[in-house]
């Protein structure tokens, strides 16, 4: 990409359209919508840890509708089997051959609801799909659709009857955040909107999946300067050295943070990543990847406070060495 | 006790505030000395009223009325007198005062400050005192910082003591005691304020206060009684005065300083005319010559023999001489030969040679002088007065430089004591004359001093010692000129008893002559200030006008002229050996011991010997330095003169100002630099400079703060969006790697405005 035309991004207004489209359904959650779009643009997936009924499904459905994408929902239950997720080959007696019945994961946008209520076996079937972008059924590897975006939700861990996701699995999600309750005014607004008819039904596509793929490619062209990369590395590195952390963020975290920053810059119509982008995304991208020491847990230190400490401590590079 | 319910009104607070009253009193005390203020007690009483009023916190109106009344009453006491509470008392005063105020406000408006009348000035002074007493209260109990005031008081008294006739000794002691108590009690107030509630603060901590008083009293008494060093610096006043006026005096004036009849101050220096002595003089530190020699001694110039009752004159007795055959002392005196070279400064104008001890020879090759064209001066010696110089008729000869050989004598006390008394007729003729109108009591005094002595040496020593034992004081400023018909020596010995070298030396000569001891008055310079240690024990000396001196030479038959030093605080370097035999015996003993030691420690390390000898070498100059300082009477540092003081004050002031303004100066440099050299490619650098300047001025960027966040803070601080804009440009450069968007011409104005704002 031409360096000097970095500000001119074809997809940026489209993204804004999608965000506004979704916002008409999910009131007052612009940041969460944007984060979801960032994840989608950079090929990552999102884990929502939230109580039921705050509009997770609505958000995903609205995104899917705005893109005109295929949307599937998997409700995870303790008795769900891996094949219920990925699909299964069934013998067709008419044609006398096995026929593949795709599971719900074979869609562009998948809502994996209450992922921590199912068995680890089924969880890992989904998570393999997240990481590889493909599933293997009966020895046959099948590619998932492109673009592919999963929004998983989990109940807060304190709730009973859950199988918490292990750290390795958590690491596969780009972001983890909560939607949270709307404010009074927003909730009132929600009531007014759904009074006659649910606004989701009025959502119309504003773009196509092809355009989304183009945008995903454009995101890769967003320039990340060496000093910004170094900033990401020092942030992630610092998380590994923090006293309250027993297991810090992985190199995968660095990669994902960088890609997400590119997508965020892209969304703002900027052709290069600022440390501000990294700083903004770091809490969502790093918090769920840190395993705190038991001491820290006893003193009520949370991963959120650790990340905000890191952000306050790690020096933001300002290119002092540059003499241009 | 309802009064005590207000804050800061406990007895304890009253105690502290009362101490403050005493401290402020110290400011008033010297007023009568250096101003024409009288009736000081009225001011003190008024101040007391003010303090009470302020302490009781009577409210503005009541306080104002009381203070006004008190000041009117005070004015009445000072200026108008009579009963205050009578028909023509207070009322009249008020009427007068009103007239004064109207009159003087008019004067003030017209800026005619000199015309302001005394009552009005006093009234303003009263108001000032009232204001100060309130200010001190505020300082004491609200800011709780009183150190500045204490320091100011000390400085005030010290300055007055130095520059005026105010005697600050007792005041300083009082201030120290008061301040100690005050600061400690104030600290107690602070501590108790933190720890206890208001109720406990009302009680006076008796034990604590008693202990404090004991400690302060004991430490002050010890400090007062303990021996103290003399001032290490000479009085700065003459130096400062000279700095202010010194440039006006020319060197030539010093050599011909005119006799001062009206008691005006002369300047210290070597003068040809000594016919009218007396009067004070001011210091002059200009260098006369530099000398290099391995043997210090007074630099003798000439002597005079005729005492007129007001000063000295000399018989002319110049003789052409190829060698200096006038004997200062004969061969019987032990003398060592030394060399010295003398270089006069450009300002000095002398045709006389100055030499320590006895001149032997002047190296003609080294001789350098200035004279009118075509003339050759000749050496002329004055054997009578022991002086040698270059002369050529009436032409002015000016010596620049010479090297000479001289003898440094060492007189044997016994030999001096046993010297015969039969003086040559010539000596008796020239050196025992006294004016006929010399008061008889001078001779009586001489008899009294020398009672019990039977030889010239002891007589001379007794008179020499007399000045140092009696209550004579060394004084250069306040020395009166003898009145008409009054004898110079008589005035000094019996009336003033203070003076400088001329007084002491002349008096000693006259005292000796009353005993028919031939003596003469010698002029020259003291050895000077040692500057640097050169090779072979040779030291470089700087002799300045300060060193101009006069002393006494006494004639001993068959021995010669022996110098004596009557002036307090001075010490001649002439050696008087107590008993040559004993001394030599001691030396022998020492040597024996040393040899024994060496014999015993044959295998002693050679290095040790070397070291010890080095140590000895090193210790020698330092001891002689010490002696020099003692000889000077005061340990005056040679570098502490007007020029260096002035220069360092200016340099210090410059440094301080530059330091205080450093950011402004650096900012100015940046501005100029980027106006001249700024272009698009230097934008990044310029932005970094701006960041640095902001950081220096206290707008700190936190570690985890991004430029954008910082810029927002900065913009909020300066209430304009320039930083945000510049930061965006910089971000594009720094994080985006773009350069095409940069336009220095476009952004320069914003950058400059921010930089100016940041650096100011």
């Amino acid at each position: 990409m031409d360096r000097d035309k970095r500000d001119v991004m074809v997809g940026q207004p489209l993204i804004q359209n999608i965000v506004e489209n979704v916002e008409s359904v999910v009131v007052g959650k612009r940041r969460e919508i944007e984060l979801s779009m960032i994840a989608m643009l950079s090929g990552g997936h999102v884990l929502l840890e939230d109580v039921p009924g705050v509009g997770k499904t609505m958000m995903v459905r609205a995104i899917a509708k705005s893109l005109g994408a295929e949307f599937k929902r998997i409700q995870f239950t303790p008795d769900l089997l891996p094949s219920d997720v990925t699909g299964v080959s069934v013998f067709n007696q008419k044609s006398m051959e096995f026929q593949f019945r795709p599971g719900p994961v074979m869609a562009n946008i998948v809502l994996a609801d209450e992922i921590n209520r199912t068995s680890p076996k089924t969880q890992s079937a989904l998570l393999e799909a997240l990481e590889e972008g493909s599933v293997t059924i009966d020895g046959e590897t099948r590619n998932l659709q492109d673009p592919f975006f999963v929004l998983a939700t989990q109940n807060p861990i304190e709730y009973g009857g859950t199988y918490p996701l292990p750290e390795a699995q958590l690491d596969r999600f780009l972001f983890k955040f909560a939607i949270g309750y709307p404010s009074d005014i927003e909730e009132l607004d929600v009531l007014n909107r759904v009074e006659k008819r649910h606004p989701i039904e009025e959502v119309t596509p504003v773009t196509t999946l092809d355009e989304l793929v183009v945008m995903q490619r454009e995101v890769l062209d967003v320039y990340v300067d060496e000093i910004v990369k170094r900033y990401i590395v020092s942030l992630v590195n610092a998380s590994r050295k923090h006293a309250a952390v027993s297991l810090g963020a992985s190199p995968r975290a660095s990669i994902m943070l960088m890609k997400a920053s590119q997508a965020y810059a892209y969304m703002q119509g900027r052709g290069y990543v600022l440390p501000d982008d990294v700083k903004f995304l770091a809490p969502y991208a790093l918090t769920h990847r840190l395993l705190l020491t038991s001491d820290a847990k006893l003193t009520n230190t949370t991963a959120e406070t650790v990340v905000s400490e890191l952000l306050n401590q790690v020096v933001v590079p300002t290119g002092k060495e540059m003499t241009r | 006790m309802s009064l005590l319910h207000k804050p800061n009104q406990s007895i304890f607070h009253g105690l502290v505030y009362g101490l403050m009253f005493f401290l402020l009193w110290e400011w008033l005390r010297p007023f009568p000395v250096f101003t024409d203020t009288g009736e000081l007690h009225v001011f003190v009483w008024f101040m007391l009223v003010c303090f009470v009023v302020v302490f009781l916190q009577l409210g503005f109106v009541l306080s104002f009325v009381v203070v006004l009344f008190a000041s009117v009453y005070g004015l009445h006491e000072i200026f108008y007198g009579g009963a205050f509470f009578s028909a023509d008392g207070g009322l009249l005063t008020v009427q007068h005062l009103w007239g004064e105020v109207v009159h003087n406000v008019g004067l003030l408006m017209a800026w005619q400050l000199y015309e302001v009348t005394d009552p009005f000035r006093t009234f303003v002074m009263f108001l000032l005192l009232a204001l100060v007493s309130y200010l001190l209260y505020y300082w004491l109990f609200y800011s709780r910082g009183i150190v500045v005031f204490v320091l100011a008081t000390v400085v005030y008294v010290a300055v007055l003591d130095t520059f005026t006739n105010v005697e600050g000794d007792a005041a300083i002691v009082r201030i120290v005691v008061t301040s100690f108590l005050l600061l400690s009690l104030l600290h107690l107030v602070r501590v108790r304020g933190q720890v206890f509630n208001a109720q406990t603060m009302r009680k006076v901590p008796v034990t604590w206060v008693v202990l404090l008083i004991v400690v302060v009293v004991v430490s002050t008494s010890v400090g007062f009684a303990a021996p103290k060093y003399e001032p290490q610096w000479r009085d700065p006043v003459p130096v400062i005065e000279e700095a202010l006026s010194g440039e006006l005096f020319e060197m030539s004036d010093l050599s011909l300083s005119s006799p001062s009849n009206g008691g005006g101050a002369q300047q210290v220096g070597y003068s040809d005319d000594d016919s009218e002595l007396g009067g004070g003089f001011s210091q002059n530190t200009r260098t006369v010559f530099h000398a290099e020699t391995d043997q210090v001694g007074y630099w003798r110039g000439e002597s005079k023999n005729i005492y007129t009752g007001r000063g000295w004159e000399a018989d002319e007795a110049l003789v052409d001489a190829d060698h200096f055959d006038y004997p200062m002392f004969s061969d019987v005196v032990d003398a060592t030969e030394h060399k010295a070279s003398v270089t006069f400064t450009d300002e000095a104008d002398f045709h006389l040679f100055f030499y320590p001890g006895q001149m032997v020879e002047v190296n003609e090759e080294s001789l350098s002088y200035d004279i009118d064209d075509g003339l050759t001066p000749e050496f002329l010696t004055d054997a009578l007065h022991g002086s040698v110089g270059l002369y050529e008729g009436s032409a002015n000869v000016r010596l620049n430089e010479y090297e000479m050989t001289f003898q440094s004598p060492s007189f044997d006390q016994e030999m001096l004591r046993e010297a015969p008394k039969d003086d040559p007729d010539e000596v008796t003729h020239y050196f025992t004359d006294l004016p006929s109108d010399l008061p008889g009591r001078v001779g009586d005094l001489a008899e009294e001093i020398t009672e019990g002595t039977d030889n010239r040496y002891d007589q001379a020593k007794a008179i020499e010692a007399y000045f140092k034992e009696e209550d004579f004081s060394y004084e250069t400023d306040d020395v009166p000129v003898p009145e008409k018909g009054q004898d110079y020596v008589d005035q000094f010995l019996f009336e003033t008893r203070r003076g400088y070298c001329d007084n002491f030396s002349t008096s000693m000569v006259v005292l000796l002559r009353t005993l028919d001891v031939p003596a003469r008055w010698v002029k020259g310079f003291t050895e000077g200030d040692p500057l640097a240690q050169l090779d072979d024990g040779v030291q470089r000396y700087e002799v300045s006008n300060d060193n101009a001196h006069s002393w006494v030479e006494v004639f001993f038959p068959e021995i010669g002229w022996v110098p004596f030093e009557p002036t307090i605080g001075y010490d001649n370097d002439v050696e008087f050996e107590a008993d040559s035999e004993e001394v030599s015996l001691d030396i022998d003993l020492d040597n024996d011991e040393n040899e024994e030691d060496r014999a015993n420690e044959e295998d002693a390390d050679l290095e040790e010997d070397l070291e010890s000898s080095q140590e000895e070498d090193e210790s020698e100059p330092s001891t002689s330095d010490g002696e020099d300082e003692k000889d000077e009477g005061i340990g005056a540092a040679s570098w502490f003169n007007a020029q260096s003081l002035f220069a360092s004050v200016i340099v210090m002031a410059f440094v301080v100002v530059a330091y205080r303004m450093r950011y402004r100066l650096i900012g100015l440099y940046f501005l100029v630099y980027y106006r001249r050299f700024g272009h698009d490619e230097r934008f990044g650098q310029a932005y970094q400079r701006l960041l640095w300047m902001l950081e220096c001025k206290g707008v700190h960027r936190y570690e985890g703060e991004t430029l954008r966040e910082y810029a927002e803070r900065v913009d909020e601080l300066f209430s304009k969006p320039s930083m945000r804009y510049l930061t965006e440009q910089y971000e594009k450069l720094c994080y985006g790697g773009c350069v095409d968007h940069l336009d220095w011409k476009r952004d320069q104005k914003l950058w400059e405005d921010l930089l100016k704002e940041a650096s100011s």
Side-chain angles (χ1 to χ4, degrees):
Chain A
M1 188 164 80
D2 188 356
R3 281 197 149 199
D4 302 323
K5 289 180 181 164
R6 283 222 174 91
D7 285 355
V8 192
M9 292 290 175
V10 283
Q12 191 253 335
L14 282 179
I15 301 283
Q16 291 307 323
N17 285 348
I18 299 170
V19 170
E20 275 157 29
N21 217 15
V22 177
E23 214 185 0
S24 67
V25 180
V26 187
V27 180
K29 297 294 172 195
R30 191 181 178 91
R31 190 171 56 177
E32 286 72 18
I33 299 162
E34 280 182 345
L35 284 170
S36 306
M37 290 310 299
I38 290 165
M40 197 178 288
L41 282 173
S42 56
H45 308 283
V46 169
L47 177 64
L48 287 178
E49 185 175 276
D50 228 331
V51 287
V54 289
K56 296 174 294 226
T57 316
M58 276 306 136
M59 186 172 84
V60 189
R61 276 180 66 192
I63 292 173
K65 270 194 118 175
S66 303
L67 290 166
E70 195 185 335
F71 169 71
K72 290 272 175 61
R73 175 197 174 117
I74 313 168
Q75 182 64 50
F76 283 82
T77 52
D79 56 353
L80 199 73
L81 294 173
S83 56
D84 293 335
V85 174
T86 55
V88 67
S89 291
V90 194
F91 188 72
N92 188 331
Q93 287 188 326
K94 267 186 197 163
S95 58
M96 299 297 284
E97 60 186 17
F98 281 95
Q99 203 174 16
F100 179 67
R101 288 213 176 162
V105 80
M106 297 289 182
N108 294 116
I109 293 176
V110 177
L111 173 64
D113 217 358
E114 298 189 283
I115 189 174
N116 58 343
R117 287 192 62 198
T118 193
S119 64
K121 196 178 170 185
T122 313
Q123 284 175 357
S124 60
L126 174 74
L127 294 165
E128 187 206 343
L130 295 187
E131 186 61 20
E132 314 291 334
S134 60
V135 286
T136 309
I137 303 148
D138 300 338
E140 199 180 334
T141 303
R142 292 169 191 274
N143 281 328
L144 299 175
Q145 297 190 26
D146 190 29
F148 175 58
F149 173 65
V150 174
L151 194 141
T153 71
Q154 67 172 8
N155 295 327
I157 302 184
E158 296 82 17
Y159 285 55
T162 56
Y163 301 90
L165 290 175
E167 278 70 36
Q169 311 273 19
L170 282 173
D171 200 25
R172 290 164 204 264
F173 288 100
L174 172 58
F175 295 143
K176 181 185 145 189
F177 56 84
I179 289 189
Y181 294 115
S183 68
D184 289 1
I185 299 169
E186 286 161 357
E187 200 158 349
L188 191 65
D189 196 18
V190 169
L191 292 186
N192 286 332
R193 284 180 192 219
V194 299
E195 196 178 357
K196 299 271 186 275
R197 194 175 166 198
H198 202 283
I200 189 75
E201 288 162 28
E202 287 162 11
V203 172
T204 50
V206 289
T207 182
T208 61
L209 281 175
D210 290 342
E211 275 177 320
L212 182 67
V213 173
V214 171
M215 285 191 275
Q216 280 180 332
R217 266 190 226 122
E218 276 189 342
V219 164
L220 296 178
D221 283 335
V222 169
Y223 175 71
V224 189
D225 195 272
E226 193 71 17
I227 59 173
V228 180
K229 285 179 190 162
R230 269 191 226 146
Y231 178 56
I232 295 172
V233 170
S234 8
L235 260 181
V236 172
N237 232 324
S239 82
R240 295 168 197 158
K241 288 172 185 159
H242 196 280
V245 175
S246 67
L247 186 67
S250 59
R252 177 160 44 203
S254 309
I255 298 166
M256 286 186 155
L257 185 54
M258 183 179 80
K259 293 199 162 187
S261 303
Q262 282 175 302
Y264 185 45
Y266 180 82
M267 261 180 60
Q268 296 170 83
R270 200 173 346 95
Y272 51 91
V273 174
L274 290 181
D276 298 78
D277 302 331
V278 179
K279 240 187 122 176
F280 173 73
L281 295 175
Y284 309 110
L286 295 183
T287 311
H288 60 289
R289 298 172 206 269
L290 302 182
L291 189 66
L292 299 186
T293 60
S294 42
D295 279 359
K297 283 177 194 159
L298 282 174
T299 53
N300 284 335
T301 307
T302 61
E304 282 80 5
T305 56
V306 170
V307 170
S308 79
E309 250 176 60
L310 293 177
L311 289 174
N312 284 334
Q313 280 166 7
V314 175
V315 180
V316 176
T318 58
K320 231 173 215 170
E321 62 279 1
M322 210 174 54
T323 47
R324 253 191 310 214
Chain B
M1 295 297 278
S2 63
L3 276 178
L4 299 185
H5 287 156
K6 291 181 184 171
N8 301 333
Q9 266 190 356
S10 67
I11 299 167
F12 187 58
H13 284 95
L15 199 67
V16 176
Y17 195 43
L19 286 172
M20 207 63 185
F21 170 77
F22 283 104
L23 215 51
L24 189 60
W25 195 347
E26 294 299 338
W27 286 74
L28 284 186
R29 263 182 222 271
F31 268 46
V33 183
F34 72 99
T35 68
D36 54 358
T37 313
E39 313 256 4
L40 192 69
H41 63 276
V42 179
F43 289 93
V44 177
W45 278 112
F46 176 78
M47 209 165 74
L48 187 64
V49 170
C50 289
F51 267 68
V52 171
V53 166
V54 170
F55 182 70
L56 294 180
Q57 300 181 16
L58 295 178
F60 178 75
V61 177
L62 192 55
S63 306
F64 186 78
V65 168
V66 172
V67 167
L68 199 65
F69 179 80
S71 51
V72 169
Y73 185 77
L75 287 171
H76 176 83
E77 278 293 307
I78 295 174
F79 292 102
Y80 306 109
F84 185 72
F85 297 102
S86 63
D88 51 355
L91 197 62
L92 211 60
T93 304
V94 172
Q95 283 168 354
H96 274 301
L97 192 64
W98 181 246
E100 290 282 344
V101 168
V102 171
H103 175 64
N104 284 291
V105 167
L107 288 176
L108 287 182
M109 291 296 173
W111 205 241
Q112 290 171 307
L113 299 184
Y114 274 105
E115 308 284 319
V116 174
T117 56
D118 281 349
F120 185 71
R121 280 197 296 177
T122 312
F123 182 59
V124 173
M125 177 77 190
F126 278 141
L127 292 187
L128 186 73
L129 280 177
L131 212 61
V132 167
S133 53
Y134 173 72
L135 208 65
L136 290 179
Y137 183 83
Y138 181 84
W139 255 359
L140 204 54
F141 295 124
Y142 291 94
S143 353
R144 291 183 178 177
I146 210 64
V147 179
V148 175
F149 182 69
V150 169
L151 280 181
T153 313
V154 172
V155 169
Y156 169 76
V157 171
V159 166
L160 286 184
D161 183 74
T162 310
F163 293 98
T164 70
N165 294 331
V166 175
E167 291 290 337
D169 302 20
I172 286 288
V173 176
R174 286 195 301 264
I175 291 170
V176 166
V177 172
T178 321
S179 319
F180 266 140
L181 289 172
L182 189 61
L183 289 170
S184 318
L185 291 177
L186 198 62
H187 186 68
L188 186 68
V189 169
R190 211 173 304 166
V191 170
R192 286 161 68 89
Q194 284 165 3
V195 180
F196 305 110
N197 57 25
Q199 206 53 48
T200 34
M201 276 183 69
R202 302 205 175 282
K203 293 177 192 157
V204 181
V206 178
T207 337
W208 209 90
V209 171
V210 168
L211 196 68
L212 175 69
I213 288 172
V214 168
V215 167
V216 169
V217 165
V218 166
S219 56
T220 312
S221 328
V222 168
F224 188 74
K228 283 173 268 300
Y229 275 112
E230 288 302 304
Q232 297 295 300
W233 282 1
R234 61 177 75 170
D235 191 353
V237 178
V239 178
I240 292 165
E241 279 174 357
E242 193 197 339
L244 296 175
S245 63
E247 303 304 317
L248 302 172
F249 292 90
E250 286 300 322
M251 194 71 183
S252 52
D253 294 335
L254 305 177
S255 302
L256 301 164
S257 63
S258 55
S260 53
N261 296 324
Q266 304 166 328
Q267 281 218 319
V268 63
Y270 193 96
S271 141
D272 284 341
D273 189 345
D274 307 299
S275 56
E276 298 267 26
L277 294 176
F281 62 81
S282 56
Q283 296 291 332
N284 181 326
T285 55
R286 278 157 195 265
T287 308
V288 178
F289 62 84
H290 288 100
E292 288 175 16
T293 176
D294 57 348
Q295 175 71 36
V296 291
Y298 280 4
W299 301 91
R300 192 181 185 285
E302 59 186 320
S303 72
K304 298 206 170 170
N305 65 327
I306 302 170
Y307 175 65
T308 61
R310 298 191 68 81
W312 289 94
E313 284 167 13
D315 283 311
E316 282 282 319
L318 292 174
V319 178
D320 186 5
D322 289 325
H323 59 283
F324 312 107
D325 56 351
Y326 61 90
M328 292 287 294
F329 38 83
S330 67
D331 294 337
V332 297
V333 177
D334 286 338
T336 49
E337 221 163 71
H338 300 276
K339 284 193 187 320
S341 68
V342 171
T343 311
F344 288 93
T345 59
D346 292 342
E347 292 165 322
D349 184 356
F350 291 104
H351 62 271
L352 286 174
F353 291 90
F354 290 94
Y355 56 93
Q358 172 163 304
M359 177 91 101
V360 177
E361 185 181 36
V362 169
N363 182 351
E364 295 217 26
E365 285 172 17
S366 69
L367 190 63
S368 153
Y369 53 83
D370 291 336
I371 188 168
D372 296 345
D373 284 348
L375 297 171
T376 313
E378 47 186 344
F379 280 104
L380 291 183
T381 62
D382 181 345
L384 192 65
H385 302 106
S387 71
V388 54
L390 284 179
Y391 296 88
E392 173 49 50
S394 59
N396 186 30
V397 188
R398 188 169 159 272
L399 275 169
N400 288 331
E401 205 176 326
Y402 60 88
E403 271 178 39
M404 65 179 163
T405 311
F406 66 90
Q407 285 186 336
S408 182
S410 171
F411 299 103
D412 187 342
Q413 288 183 7
E414 283 310 303
M415 194 193 285
L416 292 174
R417 285 201 175 95
E418 286 159 21
K421 289 181 181 172
D422 45 347
D423 299 305
D425 289 343
E426 196 196 31
V427 171
T428 318
H429 173 253
Y430 281 113
F431 297 109
T432 55
D433 256 2
L434 284 171
S436 55
D437 57 352
L438 183 76
R441 55 180 179 174
V442 177
D444 297 343
L445 178 67
E447 293 283 357
E448 191 187 320
I449 295 168
T450 58
E451 203 177 345
T453 57
D454 59 352
N455 62 71
R456 228 168 243 191
Y457 176 74
D458 287 341
Q459 283 173 330
K461 275 289 168 192
I463 294 171
E464 202 187 37
Y466 172 72
F467 295 103
K468 303 186 179 181
E469 283 161 11
E470 295 293 322
D471 59 340
F472 287 87
S473 60
Y474 188 84
E475 170 71 55
T476 56
D477 290 329
D478 185 18
V479 180
V481 179
E483 282 156 29
K484 206 167 170 65
Q486 191 176 24
D487 187 88
Y488 177 71
V489 168
D490 184 76
Q491 181 209 29
F492 174 68
L493 287 177
F494 298 103
E495 280 180 41
T496 59
R497 288 171 96 86
R498 61 175 188 276
Y500 44 95
C501 53
D502 287 356
N503 297 84
F504 290 96
S505 52
T506 306
S507 301
M508 178 161 173
V509 173
V510 170
L511 284 168
L512 283 167
R513 284 187 183 183
T514 59
L515 302 170
D516 291 318
V517 174
R520 63 188 182 189
W521 184 71
V522 194
K523 292 168 60 188
F525 293 92
T526 58
E527 53 274 271
D529 300 319
L531 284 187
Q533 183 76 35
L534 306 172
D535 294 337
D536 296 324
V538 176
Q539 196 144 13
R540 190 174 162 80
Y541 291 87
E542 187 189 62
V543 179
S544 59
N545 278 314
D546 271 349
N547 297 105
H549 192 47
S550 62
W551 60 97
V552 176
E553 280 177 356
V554 179
F555 186 76
F556 289 82
E558 293 177 15
I559 294 172
W561 291 97
V562 178
F564 286 87
E565 176 58 85
T567 310
I568 299 175
Y570 285 76
D571 203 352
N572 203 337
D573 280 308
V574 173
E575 286 178 47
F576 291 101
E577 281 177 21
D579 190 330
S580 53
E581 276 178 24
E582 273 179 28
V583 171
S584 60
L585 203 69
D586 283 344
I587 292 166
D588 285 344
L589 276 172
D590 285 345
N591 284 345
D592 286 347
E593 275 173 16
N594 283 350
E595 277 166 24
E596 272 172 28
D597 287 348
R598 287 207 187 110
N600 291 341
E601 301 169 22
E602 268 182 355
D603 51 354
D605 209 342
L606 191 68
E607 282 180 16
E608 260 181 33
D609 283 352
L610 279 173
E611 270 176 21
S612 62
S613 66
Q614 274 173 357
E615 275 169 20
E616 276 166 24
D617 284 350
E618 282 165 12
S619 65
E620 266 174 348
S622 66
T623 43
S624 69
D625 279 356
E627 277 169 18
D628 284 343
E629 283 187 18
K630 204 177 78 191
D631 294 349
E632 287 290 320
I634 38 176
S638 60
W639 48 263
F640 187 76
N641 55 32
Q643 284 92 338
S644 66
L645 184 74
F646 234 60
S648 30
V649 165
I650 288 168
V651 168
M652 286 271 284
F654 183 77
V655 168
V656 167
V657 169
Y659 181 76
R660 308 256 338 211
M661 291 179 60
R662 62 195 184 282
Y663 293 123
R664 208 174 283 233
L665 291 174
I666 294 169
L668 198 67
Y669 164 73
F670 287 164
L671 277 185
V672 172
Y673 180 86
Y674 285 102
R675 266 190 198 154
R676 174 78 186 75
F677 300 110
H679 55 83
D680 300 352
E681 285 184 14
R682 284 219 170 92
F683 173 83
Q685 202 184 37
Y687 180 83
Q688 292 281 4
R689 298 260 189 277
L690 182 60
L691 282 185
W692 179 83
M693 182 60 79
L694 285 164
E695 187 77 37
C696 291
K697 293 296 278 186
V699 191
H700 177 60
R701 191 172 69 87
Y702 304 111
E703 282 176 331
E705 196 170 28
T706 64
L707 288 176
R708 197 168 276 215
E709 291 161 352
Y710 181 64
E712 266 160 28
R713 240 163 19 95
V714 171
D715 284 344
E716 207 169 304
L717 197 68
F718 295 131
S719 344
K720 54 182 166 188
S722 338
M723 190 66 186
R724 177 72 199 250
Y725 171 79
L726 289 174
T727 304
E728 271 168 23
Q729 303 304 313
Y730 180 74
E731 278 173 346
K732 212 178 257 192
L733 169 73
C734 175
Y735 304 122
C738 309
V739 287
D740 287 6
H741 67 286
L742 295 173
D743 186 347
W744 176 247
K745 288 273 169 297
R746 176 193 65 197
D747 301 338
Q748 187 176 10
K749 181 80 176 54
L750 283 177
W751 180 84
E752 285 185 356
D753 286 351
L754 258 179
L755 188 76
K756 277 180 204 160
E757 209 147 340
S759 59
S760 65

